[in-house]
Amino acid sequence: MPDLGTVALPTRGGLWAEKWAKVASDSSVPPELRDIIRHAEGLTRIQQLSVIQTEVDRRLGWRSDGTSYGERDYWATASETLAQGKGDDEDRAIVKFQALRALGWKPQDLYLVVGQDTVRGQYTLLAVRLAGRFWLLEERGEDIISADRRTGFAPMMSFGDGRVWLHGKLRHPRQASSPPPAGKATVAARR
């Protein structure tokens, strides 16, 4: 499971898990994807992350799922996104996922993460485990960032290696003499 500074609990994931299963099972490597990954072949793993981040973001414009597919939240395969040359945040993350997988990255090191960003609202990115550390490949930008340095993003759900997790943070109870405000539930941390 991805360690993103949250508590992650396994779940079935419902409709989102079905969307993930569709894109995760696509192992095709269309010519557009081959062209992207050729820039990263033979490089170190960290260099591959940077190249894939840059190449995907350079090549793909932004377009909403509503405009592209007539649906509010459609998860396109890498082939579908590359054929259009445009996609939204999860479409780009899926292309990065498939590019890294085609480069030989293990599926248990690649996670699609849906969360809440303080600026963007609901937002999807790719989290990649490398040498015991998670790196984030965001929607736009040439830089990859260490997950422990990313602020303003709260993971809600992650998908990877055939599994789905819900994310949250434990809230420590107030002192026994101070009950929580009415209407606010508190989850006690077990030690």
Side-chain angles (χ1 to χ4, degrees):
M1 103 179 83
D3 180 4
L4 302 171
T6 59
V7 174
L9 301 173
T11 185
R12 288 197 172 118
L15 179 60
W16 282 16
E18 292 173 22
K19 293 177 182 207
W20 171 247
K22 172 195 146 196
V23 299
S25 66
D26 180 16
S27 59
S28 64
V29 184
E32 300 91 347
L33 191 61
R34 284 186 214 284
D35 192 43
I36 290 170
I37 64 176
R38 76 177 170 80
H39 296 281
E41 291 173 335
L43 299 177
T44 67
R45 289 297 202 193
I46 196 77
Q47 289 170 329
Q48 286 180 341
L49 293 180
S50 291
V51 167
I52 294 303
Q53 172 73 5
T54 301
E55 287 295 313
V56 170
D57 288 343
R58 183 178 67 80
R59 292 167 186 250
L60 294 176
W62 193 90
R63 186 184 310 170
S64 72
D65 290 335
T67 301
S68 293
Y69 304 103
E71 293 182 30
R72 184 175 171 267
D73 192 29
Y74 180 83
W75 286 22
T77 63
S79 298
E80 291 172 312
T81 301
L82 290 165
Q84 290 204 17
K86 296 181 187 320
D88 65 6
D89 52 333
E90 83 264 349
D91 297 331
R92 292 169 192 232
I94 290 164
V95 172
K96 293 170 189 179
F97 163 80
Q98 198 158 337
L100 291 172
R101 195 171 58 176
L103 282 166
W105 286 71
K106 295 177 185 174
Q108 63 266 29
D109 292 330
L110 306 172
Y111 299 89
L112 197 72
V113 181
V114 177
Q116 191 69 26
D117 185 87
T118 54
V119 175
R120 296 178 174 116
Q122 186 173 313
Y123 180 60
T124 305
L125 51 81
L126 185 66
V128 180
R129 182 178 24 230
L130 176 62
R133 188 174 183 187
F134 278 92
W135 296 90
L136 304 179
L137 282 69
E138 303 259 2
E139 178 186 18
R140 299 298 292 165
E142 295 183 6
D143 296 329
I144 59 172
I145 186 168
S146 175
D148 59 351
R149 295 202 175 155
R150 173 61 155 92
T151 59
F153 180 74
M156 298 184 312
M157 190 172 269
S158 60
F159 306 82
D161 199 24
R163 299 172 66 192
V164 180
W165 295 269
L166 285 175
H167 291 260
K169 294 203 178 231
L170 290 178
R171 292 180 58 185
H172 297 283
R174 296 175 190 223
Q175 293 179 349
S177 62
S178 301
K184 296 227 177 187
T186 304
V187 177
R190 293 185 180 154
R191 296 184 195 255

